[in-house]
Every structure is written in structure tokens, then in C-alpha cells.
Amino acid sequence: MTVTSKANNNPRLVAARLVQGVAQKGVSLNNLLAAQLDVLDDARQRALAQELAFGTLRWYHRLDGVLGQLLARPLKPKDSDLHALLLVGLYQLMVLDLPAHAAAKISSAGFEHGPPGGGGDCADDTQAETLHRELREATVRLGPTPHRDRAAHA
């Protein structure tokens, strides 16, 4: 599964490519940053992509564990880009505590083909809305993260 060229300037997808490069391919984040961030025109978008990548990698193991609980079956190795994208979405929902509609921008950028197992285009608003509603509900069921706990008592 590959991201279409029209989505290259989405900071969430850039972050997912960075996460994929580090987690699945073993490339240093510092080596990937300059080339990947160059596709973003706006400094705020570059900062967002960088925060999402660093944060997702910082929380990678917890997010991956949560994602494993949420998926009905494990993703296939060929879907490592989707895996990274879902981890970035979970980071936004669980750690940054962004509203689900903001995190849903991940799925609206578009893919060449649908989610694992078929079922259409990830850019479909209904699928994106359903996915992120389920992720939000799952994060509520899983309870607060240590990050949220610290922020609540600060």
C-alpha cells in the first residue's frame, strides 16, 4: 500500500513515513528528516510532522500494544505504511489528546487501494469516521495514559 502523490504534503502522512522508515526499515530518524520534511511548504506543517514522528516513536511500544488490542487480526508485513499511519493516529488521540476529527485527517489524504482485506478507499469519509470513532472509544476504554495523568496533576 502506498500513499498517492497528492497526499505528499500532509504532515500526518509524512510523520507516518518517518515512523515506518525507523520502525520497519531501521533507518535513523535524523537521516530521514530533511528529505521527508522538505515536501512540506509550511513551517507549521513541518513542526507538526516532526512532533508526530518523534512522539509516535517515543511511545511506539505502548501504541503498538494498544493497536494490537484494537485490531481484529494483525496487519500483514506489506501493510507497514498503514501500521505506521494508525500508530500516528493513536499518538494523536492518546498522548496529544487531539479531537478525533483532527486525527481523522490521516485517513482523508487517500491511498492507492483500501485497507487490508479490501473494502474500498481509505479516503472514504464514512470509513475514516468509523475508524477514528472506534479508536477514540477504544482509548476511553483503555483509560488514561501516564502522559495524561501527569498533565491532570500538574
Side-chain angles (χ1 to χ4, degrees):
M1 180 180 300
T2 55
V3 178
T4 60
S5 60
K6 71 179 181 176
N8 283 338
N9 63 353
N10 182 314
R12 291 159 179 89
L13 293 175
V14 169
R17 284 194 297 268
L18 290 167
V19 169
Q20 179 187 21
V22 173
Q24 274 82 34
K25 298 176 183 175
V27 180
S28 166
L29 183 56
N30 286 332
N31 292 342
L32 294 173
L33 275 174
Q36 289 292 324
L37 293 179
D38 279 349
V39 302
L40 300 171
D41 298 329
D42 184 52
R44 292 174 299 175
Q45 289 183 330
R46 287 189 296 275
L48 175 60
Q50 192 166 338
E51 164 57 30
L52 294 175
F54 274 101
T56 301
L57 290 167
R58 187 177 309 115
W59 288 81
Y60 184 87
H61 294 289
R62 177 172 170 93
L63 297 170
D64 194 44
V66 170
L67 183 59
Q69 292 175 9
L70 297 176
L71 295 174
R73 62 180 188 268
L75 294 172
K76 296 177 182 174
K78 70 177 183 169
D79 294 321
S80 64
D81 56 346
L82 179 59
H83 181 255
L85 198 56
L86 290 170
L87 291 176
V88 170
L90 280 174
Y91 174 72
Q92 290 180 100
L93 292 170
M94 293 179 64
V95 181
L96 295 182
D97 202 23
L98 290 182
H101 71 272
K105 288 184 179 182
I106 291 171
S107 295
S108 65
F111 290 85
E112 288 181 0
H113 57 78
D121 183 19
C122 282
D124 178 83
D125 289 338
T126 304
Q127 285 182 330
E129 182 179 312
T130 301
L131 171 65
H132 290 284
R133 184 181 64 246
E134 289 174 4
L135 289 175
R136 171 57 85 188
E137 290 170 1
T139 58
V140 169
R141 285 193 310 271
L142 291 167
T145 64
H147 175 78
R148 283 190 192 159
D149 289 343
R150 284 194 306 271
H153 300 295

